[in-house]
Amino acid sequence: MNTEQDDIRQGAARVLSSIRETRPLVLSLTNSVVQPITANMLLAVGAAPVMLCDAEEAAELLGAGCSALLLNVGTLSRAQEPAMRSAARAAREHGVPWVLDPVAAGLLRYRTDFCAELLGLHPTLIRGNASEILAMAGEGNAGRGTDSTAGSADAVPAAQKLARKFGAAVLVTGEVDYATDGETVEAVHGGHPLMTRVTGVGCAMGALSAACLACAETPLQAAVATACILGDAGAAAAARAPHPGSFAVALLDVLDSLWK
């Protein structure tokens, strides 16, 4: 029996139970490709999703009881910048935890520079694949589009560096997920290759981490819980549905019933 992984799962189950009990309101400023699966994943775990793109509305919601925020730069445009800046500043002002998902950072200068600017607004949690985390730490170049060209373990030192510099938890996703607060490093095993064959699972993971932030005791616990919840759900969904189309539906069904 792997006692460490069992302890991780028990902690994640407590966070998921809290999400279901409290139904945190999660504001997602995310990319246009993944909005449906992002909202559906939040609903499946019991959270309440909100999608906005106006700077004034985003700031107003964050000051009026919003539980957590996700900023995902997957389809970043200059028209989106004001809303993301406004949301990050309002989250910091009102003490709302927020997640930065620096999609494809390091691949193109514009998004890399903007993500660096957002880092300066001190996200509570940073979620990315190994190439994205290496790029954000200034220690690597681009991945292959949204795919990493480095292993998750290779990015752990960079993740620790980022966590210490910005006071955030960092979740590095890959075959094994790693979560760190700059000192402690937790490895979370699970998941399934089919998770990489459905558009938006990784980006929706950022929204799940925001829901976990709203209910966990610490950002590190939220990062670990996120990896464990989605990893266990992905493995169970693949056992039910071994092809991408049916897997996407099965993943939501499993998230709805996980550990009940």
Side-chain angles (χ1 to χ4, degrees), residues 125-134 148 150-160 162 169-180 185-188 205 223-224 227:
L125 191 153
I126 304 160
R127 187 220 76 92
N129 64 35
S131 291
E132 291 160 353
I133 296 304
L134 286 163
S148 179
S152 53
D154 298 330
V156 169
Q160 291 178 284
L162 270 180
V170 179
L171 175 58
V172 187
T173 58
E175 188 173 344
V176 178
D177 295 333
Y178 292 92
T180 184
V185 177
E186 298 279 5
V188 183
M205 189 182 195
V224 172

Side-chain angles (χ1 to χ4, degrees), residues 29-35 38 72-76 80 103 203:
L29 276 67
T30 191
N31 75 73
S32 58
V33 177
V34 305
Q35 289 180 358
T38 297
N72 174 302
V73 301
T75 52
L76 180 66
Q80 290 177 313
V103 179
C203 290

